[in-house]
Amino acid sequence: MASAAQSSDRPDLDRWLGGRSFADVRADFDRDGYVIFEHVLDPDMVERVRAALEPYLEADVTGRNDFEGLRSNRVYAMLAKSPVFAELVTHPLALAFAEADLGESCLLSACLAINLQPGETVQPWHYDDNHLRVPRPRDPFGVSTFWAIDPMTEDNGATELLPGSHVWPENSIEGANSAADFANTDIRSVDDDPAPRADAIKAVMPSGSLMVTKGTLWHRGGANRSDAPRLIVTPQYCPGWARQLENMAMTMTPEQAAELPERARELVGYSIHPPFMGYVDGMHPARVLKSSQH
């Protein structure tokens, strides 16, 4: 059994670390490129998230191409849709890894829900900070989190991972995403897998669980061979100096931003990366936001 000294480096996280220290769990994260925590969210929180997403999923807007998933629903601009999503974005366990890798000035780069419908095919292999276009090998410029709202199972499209691939030097692998994937609107068979790998594992985990991955980890959404959808929410973080994937400030009005919890507001971009990156008219954006409310 781990001693109190071992787990006291982050006492706020002890309930999820299973008697281990945060430093010990982070060592696994650094080695494998991912870590999974089961049953982080209680069932009531899971149902709150599901209820907030219900009207957007009922619209049944599917992906625009093979990468987004032609049988998948994606919901964007989530912090403007319900305050429950700010709770996921600022969850202390998720933020602990984002801040440890990216610094406390990190930003929310993207936040979306992905609902894989039955028959959805595998995604191309990809890594989430590829848009920054810095050659590998290198330190990750992102941390991605995956909240399992539905269980992720062997047959319903659980995310597939290549453990340790965050340190691979290759900028591309067989079956990696390309520009063609974002233009491809051909419906494929659920059994059509152009790039299976023997070294891949499936991130199987129950509802309410959290997976955290390095931005350089090769992974892909799996094929949904079940008869039910598979829903996750995936907040993704970047360093404070990097451009966010989603233009967070444009997803909400200043009035909506002012209603967010302070840490969520900082992650959206109402913050400064030292010494002064992100200022507005020579001032901290939080001061500008505050003054606009009066």
Side-chain angles (χ1 to χ4, degrees):
M1 180 177 293
S3 68
Q6 284 178 299
S7 61
S8 63
D9 60 340
R10 286 297 304 264
D12 56 321
L13 306 181
D14 282 352
R15 74 186 83 171
W16 301 297
L17 299 183
R20 303 176 69 192
S21 70
F22 178 67
D24 189 27
V25 176
R26 193 178 172 211
D28 289 351
F29 184 55
D30 290 341
R31 181 194 66 218
D32 299 330
Y34 75 98
V35 63
I36 293 174
F37 302 92
E38 296 190 351
H39 301 297
V40 177
L41 303 180
D42 62 46
D44 287 344
M45 179 62 173
V46 169
E47 289 311 308
R48 287 176 59 208
V49 172
R50 195 186 301 280
L53 285 170
E54 185 175 4
Y56 305 100
L57 297 179
E58 284 183 346
D60 196 27
V61 177
T62 53
R64 293 161 289 189
N65 52 56
D66 193 46
F67 185 86
E68 281 194 323
L70 297 167
R71 297 186 183 94
S72 293
N73 314 118
R74 291 188 172 222
V75 181
Y76 298 99
M78 297 182 68
L79 291 185
K81 290 181 166 65
S82 169
V84 72
F85 302 123
E87 296 180 47
L88 293 184
V89 165
T90 61
H91 193 283
L93 184 58
L95 273 186
F97 287 91
E99 292 173 350
D101 268 23
L102 307 173
E104 291 186 6
S105 66
C106 63
L107 296 171
L108 183 67
S109 181
C111 184
L112 61 152
I114 305 175
N115 191 46
L116 268 64
Q117 297 287 354
E120 183 58 277
T121 56
V122 293
Q123 268 188 313
W125 293 104
H126 62 282
Y127 55 97
D128 285 339
D129 67 6
N130 183 37
H131 62 286
L132 292 174
R133 301 300 184 192
V134 179
R136 301 168 63 112
R138 58 169 170 77
D139 290 336
F141 295 147
V143 168
S144 294
T145 60
F146 301 76
W147 292 100
I149 307 306
D150 291 327
M152 294 224 284
T153 69
E154 288 282 346
D155 62 352
N156 78 352
T159 302
E160 298 182 15
L161 313 170
L162 300 179
S165 62
H166 60 299
V167 300
W168 291 0
E170 296 88 353
N171 291 309
S172 185
I173 61 174
E174 183 180 355
N177 64 312
S178 66
D181 296 310
F182 296 97
N184 184 7
T185 58
D186 294 334
I187 299 290
R188 297 188 288 122
S189 163
V190 70
D191 295 317
D192 180 8
D193 185 348
R197 293 186 62 109
D199 53 348
I201 67 165
K202 293 185 178 182
V204 172
M205 51 184 173
S207 175
S209 299
L210 169 67
M211 177 170 68
V212 187
T213 68
K214 301 270 189 182
T216 46
L217 185 78
W218 287 97
H219 66 283
R220 65 179 183 176
N224 188 348
R225 295 182 174 85
S226 75
D227 58 2
R230 185 227 71 180
L231 177 62
I232 65 167
V233 174
T234 173
Q236 302 173 7
Y237 307 84
C238 67
W241 51 260
R243 183 168 185 178
Q244 295 147 284
L245 271 172
E246 186 167 19
N247 191 325
M248 293 288 168
M250 291 290 288
T251 66
M252 64 186 71
T253 65
E255 291 76 19
Q256 287 175 306
E259 293 297 317
L260 291 173
E262 181 180 6
R263 189 67 183 108
R265 201 161 56 236
E266 292 170 347
L267 290 165
V268 166
Y270 289 88
S271 55
I272 290 291
H273 178 71
F276 46 71
M277 187 178 290
Y279 69 81
V280 179
D281 198 18
M283 292 192 295
H284 193 293
R287 289 181 58 195
V288 178
L289 182 65
K290 184 177 180 179
S291 66
S292 72
Q293 304 308 303
H294 299 289

